[in-house]
Amino acid sequence: MKRKILFLSAIILVFIVSASGVRQVMAEVRLADDKIILNGTIKQTMYIRTQMNSTEYKEYHKTHVDYNRFSALLQAQFKIKDCQEESINFITALKYWYELAPVYDPKMRNGMSPAVPERDRNWYSRTKDRDYVSEAYIDYIRGPWNIRFGQQIVVWGETDIKRTVDIINPIDVRLGSPGVDAWEEIKMGLFMLRGTYQTQLPGSLLLEALYIPGDFRPARLPVEGTHYGPNPVVSKDGFYPYMPYGVTTWLFDQARKDAPGWEMKNYEIGLRVRGFSYNIDWTLLYYNGLYDAPIAIADTLNSEFLSNYISKGIVGSITKKPQHPVLSDEKCFQYPRYSMIGGTAQTVVPALHDSVWRLEWFYNHNEPYNRGTNADSSKIYDTVKRDGCGMGLNYGDKFKLGSFTHKYCDDKMMDVSLTLFYEKVFHWDDDIIISETGRGHRRGASHSSEIAWSAQQFLFHQQFMVMFMGSYNPIGKYFICPIFSYVPGNHWRWELGFPTYGSRTPSNKGLHDKDSVLLRMRYEF
Amino acid sequence: MSLRRFQTNVPMLCLTLIVLALLLAAPVVVCAEQLNFPLAAFSDEELAKVRDWEKTWAGKKIDQNNVDQIKEFLPESYAGVYKKPEVWFEPKGFWFTIVPYKRYIETKGMIEATNKYNTQVKVDASGIIQNYGETAGMPFPNPALSDPVKGGQQIAWNFDFNTHGDAYHWFRIGPALEVKQKTERVSNQDMYELYWVSRVDVDPKPNLMASNPKGIRRGYYLHMYKPPEFIHTSMFNLRYLDYSKSDDGYMWYSQFRRIRRVSTAQRTDSIDGSDLIYDDEYLWDGAIPRNTYKYIGRKDLLCSRQMDIKKLERVSGQGMPNGIIRERLNTFVVEVVSRDPNYIYKKRVWYVDPESYYIQWTEIYDQLGRFWKCFENWTNQYTEQTTGEMKKVIVGTEFMDFQRIHCGISIQECKGVGLKEIDQKNFTIDNLQKGGY
């Protein structure tokens, strides 16, 4: 209790100090005669759950704050050479985070079967190993050439929330989600050689190629019992009093264990051409690499899961003694190779209120899927490869809200963005498991569609900002998030949000019961 | 014999050559006299009176106590700022200094181009230049002031043809201020401007390229350092010769790491918490035919034309810096009304420097005709890298919103004017991509 009071007091103190007019003059830090430029962010993010199963709360939580993360990002640019002919820079981004929720909430960590499994707690709650380095690469520019060598994050997409063609780097959704957090925090850097060449060809073609020499990192999936993860099992019957973690943890950890490491055969390549024709900025791209998400090897997984987890659970429920399940030494998951061609386009259409239109499209070749009886992920029997296509079409515009814009927004228009997503898997069969992957498919449906929006309005000379963002999928799944932001000066940023989720589809619930109040304070420098 | 004849003929030959040269030069001299370009702000008689006035006021610090004595030479709104600083939450008050008027003469390149091209300017019945981009220099070196509409429009065209030394690089420090709370949010950025056509100082002149198929008139490129969440965000904007064509704008938005096409058509959207709309850069940043113009007359105002920004004094949160240096200048007064009946401003009143055609002051009225904003440009002369001549550029601007009691400042450190090395590649997507970390 004392610790909680101390922590809350510290937060309130920081708020009072900043709101009472702390002002800084410098933003970035420049050292060594401008040869080193540092900038970054320090952030404290808190989610206060407003929706939580009462049994879950009693069993696993002492407070509704199930997410309270301190994080910091430091970016540095070292100018090694900077002249007219060529420049060489070393760019690096370091990050650190510490998740406080399991620290101050003993119910989240104590007991034989805690909310957050002990085996994943350190992995989840603080930066470990390679996570410290988000990016670190050499950037060389000479004439039309730009070569970058090292760990990098690549952005190829145009739309914001969904990753339609923006697939080079895997994402880490243990502690963040697209739209709410910056890409640098969600994406994981990969070691690669990347180059661009500006041609003199018609359409100002810009050629880009990247080669990842086998540095494979699977997507990081959220941990059971945490804010973004599956809920802890509330039932007192069956395995759970005697098992230290649930099914999801075993499966996710096994998938992580089975992920291939750095091997040359896991290479990934990407090619992109950027051009301009008929007032349209377009890109065409090709990617060939490993699938970031795990695909089950049906035969092995079923038997290994049975022997290493289910059997232990049975023993526990019979003997009433705690059990210690282990991961299998057999490969239960694979990350197959697939390829994609795609593209983007963006233009301004004067006839439509000078709105900006952006399009992304893709065609996936040999994308891997599991098959299970009636598309049930607990009845996996097979792995198949399918082609599929999809697109995201975004409309962006600005509007005046009559005298409101003049009176309260100082003539700052409201930014509106509306995006339609659609995807379809070819050669469909009803056993393909896709509805539980979060891609918005109804069980048994080959296609999915979704609409996402955001409306952003600055008020009082941009000291305040109101944003209303969200998405809706016809299967009945939605996400709504109003955000209110206060920017008192050069460095401090305060945000208050209400992310609300819902789903009418049992097989695709997402974060349906994770409605929360979001509190976030940032110090940018 | 022949040698002697040649020797006796030498003076004759020289005389002939001198006469011939004079005959050839005469039309130019006459023409230059007719042009009366570059203009001087004051006639000799007026200047004598100004000098007389300066004997009392030059070097004097003007503040709350003595501003009443010179208020006729300030826009009424600004005289009020100095008189009642408490309205702007500055109880200690603001002050500025008066310096003697100093004539500015345009660069040789501008004078030559004006002489060469002014007769080639083609206008239609409504005064809109038809061969825009095909000429350089001031298109109307002697504006037809006897006709208010024509005169006003010609002053506007001259303003438009000031190419700021053809290639200009400056570093902008731009705080947007909440004077009541004494807080500010600063935006810092490197800015580059390059003219494709109508160039007068930097070779190649008058056109940057032999062929300009896209019809680009001007480009600017900016790289942001502040606010911190925008660090390394950069963008470029291309303006076209076609009056009806919207600019093309591209932004590398560092937070999202994407190159975004941005719509530039919403010119009345306010810029990032400031009191500016996109049309307000340079105090007018749009196509000349978008407005109607009316020459009102002359107005003797204190204008900041020799501003050394290092001498500005300001503490954080202060709405207007102290130490602004102002001199008397007999400005052209032009009333500017948008052709768009729904335009955000009912009218602007420009106070234009007749020697450089920069807008020194502008007063802005809202749609109901109520006085709303007043902006002041501070200018100074810097040596052009290419020619070594002095070129006047904008070194800062004060933006004051008198309805909301809100203001912003742009302090612009000149990093180079008349530059050779501003590369057209700055205005490409490739450049955004390379600079995007």
Side-chain angles (χ1 to χ4, degrees):
Chain A
M1 188 63 186
K2 273 183 184 172
R3 191 182 287 175
K4 197 159 81 177
I5 291 168
L6 197 68
F7 179 74
L8 285 171
S9 306
I11 288 183
I12 292 164
L13 185 69
V14 170
F15 178 81
I16 291 167
V17 168
S18 90
S20 64
V22 170
R23 291 185 297 273
Q24 299 283 336
V25 178
M26 292 299 294
E28 60 183 13
V29 178
R30 287 173 176 256
L31 304 169
D33 208 12
D34 288 358
K35 286 192 168 59
I36 303 173
I37 303 171
L38 305 173
N39 68 286
T41 309
I42 297 167
K43 192 159 70 173
Q44 186 74 38
T45 310
M46 192 189 290
Y47 284 100
I48 305 163
R49 289 270 294 276
T50 56
Q51 185 189 23
M52 195 189 291
N53 179 304
S54 60
T55 318
E56 182 194 332
Y57 181 72
K58 278 181 197 162
E59 187 72 21
Y60 294 109
H61 298 275
K62 203 178 170 185
T63 157
H64 281 87
V65 184
D66 69 344
Y67 181 110
N68 194 343
R69 183 167 74 140
F70 168 82
S71 59
L73 177 73
L74 177 70
Q75 292 176 302
Q77 180 187 355
F78 299 87
K79 290 184 183 177
I80 298 164
K81 188 176 182 185
D82 188 14
C83 64
Q84 191 78 13
E85 294 78 35
E86 62 182 0
S87 71
I88 305 172
N89 293 289
F90 177 64
I91 314 287
T92 184
L94 307 174
K95 62 182 178 181
Y96 175 79
W97 76 78
Y98 194 90
E99 169 55 47
L100 292 154
V103 176
Y104 61 70
D105 191 338
K107 281 189 167 181
M108 282 183 83
R109 65 173 194 274
N110 289 345
M112 172 58 199
S113 185
V116 183
E118 192 175 350
R119 63 169 293 124
D120 284 345
R121 199 175 303 140
N122 280 347
W123 178 71
Y124 146 82
S125 63
R126 68 191 71 169
T127 329
K128 301 276 280 182
D129 310 323
R130 201 173 160 186
D131 290 334
Y132 280 105
V133 182
S134 178
E135 289 183 280
Y137 61 91
I138 294 281
D139 175 63
Y140 174 70
I141 298 172
R142 188 182 177 92
W145 292 96
N146 181 195
I147 307 292
R148 291 178 180 182
F149 182 66
Q151 184 163 310
Q152 299 168 61
I153 288 173
V154 179
V155 177
W156 272 6
E158 298 292 353
T159 53
D160 290 331
I161 297 174
K162 287 251 179 179
R163 297 204 312 153
T164 314
V165 293
D166 194 19
I167 53 163
I168 304 297
N169 297 86
I171 56 172
D172 182 348
V173 288
R174 284 177 295 173
L175 290 153
S177 73
V180 182
D181 294 277
W183 284 113
E184 283 147 342
E185 292 188 66
I186 294 168
K187 285 187 172 184
M188 293 187 288
L190 291 176
F191 189 88
M192 66 180 81
L193 175 65
R194 181 185 176 202
T196 61
Y197 177 77
Q198 176 64 59
T199 70
Q200 298 300 316
L201 296 168
S204 304
L205 296 186
L206 179 72
L207 310 178
E208 180 178 352
L210 64 85
Y211 172 68
I212 302 168
D215 180 17
F216 177 76
R217 302 176 79 185
R220 297 283 168 88
L221 303 170
V223 172
E224 183 182 328
T226 65
H227 180 79
Y228 283 111
N231 292 331
V233 180
V234 294
S235 165
K236 281 284 183 188
D237 308 324
F239 301 172
Y240 293 104
Y242 316 108
M243 296 291 270
Y245 49 81
V247 171
T248 315
T249 298
W250 191 91
L251 292 170
F252 282 8
D253 285 4
Q254 182 68 44
R256 187 150 53 96
K257 182 171 181 276
D258 291 343
W262 192 325
E263 289 178 64
M264 293 300 276
K265 67 175 184 181
N266 297 330
Y267 71 90
E268 296 178 42
I269 54 167
L271 303 168
R272 185 166 77 148
V273 184
R274 180 187 278 278
F276 179 80
S277 320
Y278 304 106
N279 199 29
I280 295 170
D281 294 275
W282 53 264
T283 64
L284 276 177
L285 49 97
Y286 170 78
Y287 167 79
N288 185 307
L290 302 193
Y291 205 57
D292 289 341
I295 298 295
I297 303 168
D299 295 341
T300 329
L301 178 66
N302 290 338
S303 60
E304 293 300 310
F305 181 55
L306 187 66
S307 59
N308 290 296
Y309 187 87
I310 299 292
S311 60
K312 293 279 171 68
I314 294 168
V315 171
S317 60
I318 295 168
T319 62
K320 311 292 183 197
K321 285 184 180 168
Q323 299 297 306
H324 299 283
V326 291
L327 299 180
S328 168
D329 290 332
E330 297 287 320
K331 283 249 178 210
C332 299
F333 290 94
Q334 58 183 329
Y335 297 83
R337 183 171 290 279
Y338 79 114
S339 60
M340 181 199 76
I341 56 167
T344 67
Q346 55 176 335
T347 190
V348 174
V349 183
L352 294 173
H353 199 247
D354 287 295
S355 49
V356 181
W357 291 78
R358 301 185 175 97
L359 172 76
E360 277 184 29
W361 65 271
F362 68 84
Y363 184 92
N364 283 345
H365 178 58
N366 277 342
E367 190 177 1
Y369 296 94
N370 278 122
R371 284 200 293 189
T373 309
N374 294 323
D376 189 340
S377 62
S378 63
K379 295 172 185 169
I380 295 173
Y381 66 83
D382 193 8
T383 303
V384 291
K385 289 193 168 184
R386 292 286 187 269
D387 289 3
C389 71
M391 65 101 182
L393 178 66
N394 173 262
Y395 153 79
D397 209 342
K398 289 179 176 180
F399 293 97
K400 278 197 170 173
L401 305 173
S403 60
F404 180 84
T405 302
H406 177 66
K407 207 168 178 182
Y408 301 106
C409 314
D410 314 294
D411 301 295
K412 184 71 190 165
M413 293 177 172
M414 183 172 69
D415 283 302
V416 174
S417 168
L418 202 60
T419 311
L420 173 71
F421 296 98
Y422 177 83
E423 75 164 24
K424 184 171 178 64
V425 178
F426 299 125
H427 301 105
W428 181 255
D429 77 61
D430 288 346
D431 283 354
I432 288 178
I433 299 168
I434 196 168
S435 65
E436 290 159 24
T437 59
R439 284 167 58 175
H441 289 245
R442 202 184 295 274
R443 181 173 282 193
S446 65
H447 70 278
S448 73
S449 57
E450 189 168 315
I451 194 161
W453 65 84
S454 77
Q456 184 187 48
Q457 178 67 65
F458 289 100
L459 297 131
F460 302 112
H461 292 284
Q462 245 164 273
Q463 283 189 97
F464 297 94
M465 187 270 284
V466 178
M467 191 172 186
F468 181 66
M469 59 194 290
S471 62
Y472 177 76
N473 186 311
I475 64 172
K477 192 178 172 188
Y478 64 87
F479 161 62
I480 297 168
C481 185
I483 291 181
F484 181 74
S485 168
Y486 173 52
V487 183
N490 284 324
H491 298 280
W492 288 98
R493 312 287 183 257
W494 298 86
E495 285 171 298
L496 173 68
F498 302 96
T500 308
Y501 308 88
S503 176
R504 291 201 306 266
T505 305
S507 63
N508 194 341
K509 287 184 175 177
L511 302 169
H512 74 288
D513 60 352
K514 302 280 173 110
D515 296 359
S516 306
V517 172
L518 163 67
L519 290 170
R520 184 158 56 189
M521 61 177 186
R522 282 184 292 144
Y523 182 85
E524 304 260 1
F525 64 98
Chain B
M1 179 67 180
S2 59
L3 184 65
R4 184 181 289 177
R5 189 188 295 166
F6 178 76
Q7 282 172 340
T8 48
N9 282 349
V10 166
M12 280 297 289
L13 192 66
C14 287
L15 192 65
T16 313
L17 284 171
I18 289 166
V19 169
L20 196 64
L22 281 171
L23 284 171
L24 285 170
V28 177
V29 173
V30 169
C31 186
E33 276 173 7
Q34 283 171 347
L35 279 181
N36 187 24
F37 183 80
L39 287 177
F42 297 103
S43 66
D44 292 345
E45 200 179 323
E46 288 168 337
L47 186 58
K49 284 180 187 168
V50 169
R51 296 296 184 213
D52 205 34
W53 181 87
E54 285 170 349
K55 281 175 192 162
T56 311
W57 291 102
K60 280 239 168 95
K61 190 172 163 180
I62 306 298
D63 59 17
Q64 190 171 12
N65 301 316
N66 57 358
V67 68
D68 279 340
Q69 297 171 60
I70 54 93
K71 68 178 183 186
E72 65 184 296
F73 300 115
L74 281 176
E76 192 185 337
S77 54
Y78 269 58
V81 174
Y82 285 97
K83 185 67 189 168
K84 291 183 178 173
E86 64 276 9
V87 174
W88 293 84
F89 302 94
E90 198 57 46
K92 287 183 184 171
F94 301 105
W95 58 269
F96 70 94
T97 309
I98 293 174
V99 294
Y101 157 79
K102 185 179 167 188
R103 188 179 175 192
Y104 170 68
I105 295 176
E106 266 296 355
T107 59
K108 215 181 284 176
M110 176 61 89
I111 295 168
E112 284 172 5
T114 302
N115 285 328
K116 183 176 177 185
Y117 292 107
N118 81 88
T119 53
Q120 297 174 27
V121 175
K122 295 174 193 162
V123 292
D124 66 8
S126 57
I128 293 167
I129 293 179
Q130 299 300 295
N131 55 343
Y132 192 53
E134 292 172 21
T135 67
M138 297 295 169
F140 304 103
N142 301 129
L145 303 179
S146 55
D147 179 340
V149 174
K150 203 172 173 183
Q153 193 175 38
Q154 291 182 348
I155 290 167
W157 280 119
N158 285 350
F159 158 78
D160 188 63
F161 272 77
N162 182 345
T163 53
H164 314 144
D166 302 338
Y168 180 32
H169 172 200
W170 69 99
F171 183 73
R172 167 180 279 172
I173 301 163
L177 292 132
E178 305 300 329
V179 288
K180 192 174 181 182
Q181 297 151 20
K182 293 283 176 195
T183 59
E184 59 184 49
R185 266 177 313 116
V186 180
S187 75
N188 283 3
Q189 52 208 238
D190 261 315
M191 294 199 66
Y192 300 83
E193 184 184 54
L194 180 68
Y195 276 83
W196 262 250
V197 296
S198 304
R199 295 158 63 88
V200 293
D201 292 326
V202 185
D203 285 327
K205 297 182 288 193
N207 297 323
L208 189 62
M209 297 186 294
S211 156
N212 182 8
K214 287 185 178 173
I216 300 169
R217 170 169 162 74
R218 183 203 74 186
Y220 76 74
Y221 165 77
L222 66 88
H223 183 119
M224 296 180 76
Y225 303 100
K226 283 190 205 169
E229 54 265 59
F230 282 93
I231 189 165
H232 299 314
T233 291
S234 53
M235 74 170 290
F236 71 88
N237 183 287
L238 295 174
R239 175 150 302 164
Y240 295 97
L241 292 166
D242 181 347
Y243 303 126
S244 61
K245 192 173 176 184
S246 293
D247 295 359
D248 271 336
Y250 291 87
M251 177 186 270
W252 166 268
Y253 190 17
S254 57
Q255 270 193 332
F256 296 120
R257 295 180 170 222
R258 292 189 168 101
I259 294 172
R260 292 307 248 330
R261 182 100 177 243
V262 289
S263 173
T264 56
Q266 308 285 11
R267 306 289 304 170
T268 60
D269 193 13
S270 68
I271 305 172
D272 299 335
S274 73
D275 304 292
L276 289 167
I277 60 170
Y278 286 90
D279 278 344
D280 286 336
E281 188 77 36
Y282 311 106
L283 306 192
W284 171 252
D285 187 22
I288 295 298
R290 284 177 51 205
N291 302 316
T292 61
Y293 304 87
K294 188 176 166 190
Y295 172 67
I296 303 293
R298 303 291 289 256
K299 169 90 176 160
D300 211 340
L301 281 177
L302 284 163
C303 298
S304 182
R305 303 203 313 158
Q306 302 172 52
M307 189 66 243
D308 178 357
I309 55 168
K310 288 177 186 144
K311 290 184 177 163
L312 292 172
E313 294 176 18
R314 193 180 77 87
V315 293
S316 184
Q318 185 178 324
M320 180 166 61
N322 289 323
I324 297 171
I325 292 166
R326 296 192 175 105
E327 66 191 87
R328 289 258 308 258
L329 183 74
N330 197 11
T331 60
F332 289 137
V333 186
V334 181
E335 189 179 279
V336 183
V337 177
S338 173
R339 291 180 193 275
D340 175 1
N342 299 315
Y343 193 69
I344 189 167
Y345 301 148
K346 174 104 173 175
K347 69 170 182 183
R348 291 177 167 89
V349 178
W350 291 354
Y351 298 91
V352 181
D353 179 350
E355 295 172 356
S356 66
Y357 284 95
Y358 279 109
I359 302 168
Q360 293 288 155
W361 292 92
T362 184
E363 292 171 324
I364 296 168
Y365 294 81
D366 68 13
Q367 283 178 327
L368 298 174
R370 297 172 303 190
F371 174 68
W372 185 3
K373 300 175 185 175
C374 185
F375 300 160
E376 181 193 19
N377 265 338
W378 312 320
T379 60
N380 201 355
Q381 297 179 50
Y382 286 88
T383 308
E384 283 192 336
Q385 187 195 59
T386 317
T387 63
E389 290 182 76
M390 300 301 279
K391 176 70 186 176
K392 192 176 278 291
V393 292
I394 297 169
V395 295
T397 313
E398 174 74 35
F399 313 99
M400 292 190 124
D401 179 336
F402 288 84
Q403 290 184 3
R404 298 184 180 120
I405 309 298
H406 189 271
C407 59
I409 305 168
S410 172
I411 297 168
Q412 299 173 192
E413 184 188 341
C414 177
K415 296 275 191 179
V417 63
L419 294 171
K420 270 183 184 171
E421 71 265 25
I422 291 184
D423 197 333
Q424 289 172 60
K425 286 176 186 163
N426 281 352
F427 309 92
T428 60
I429 287 170
D430 176 39
N431 184 57
L432 291 184
Q433 175 113 5
K434 281 174 179 164
Y437 299 121

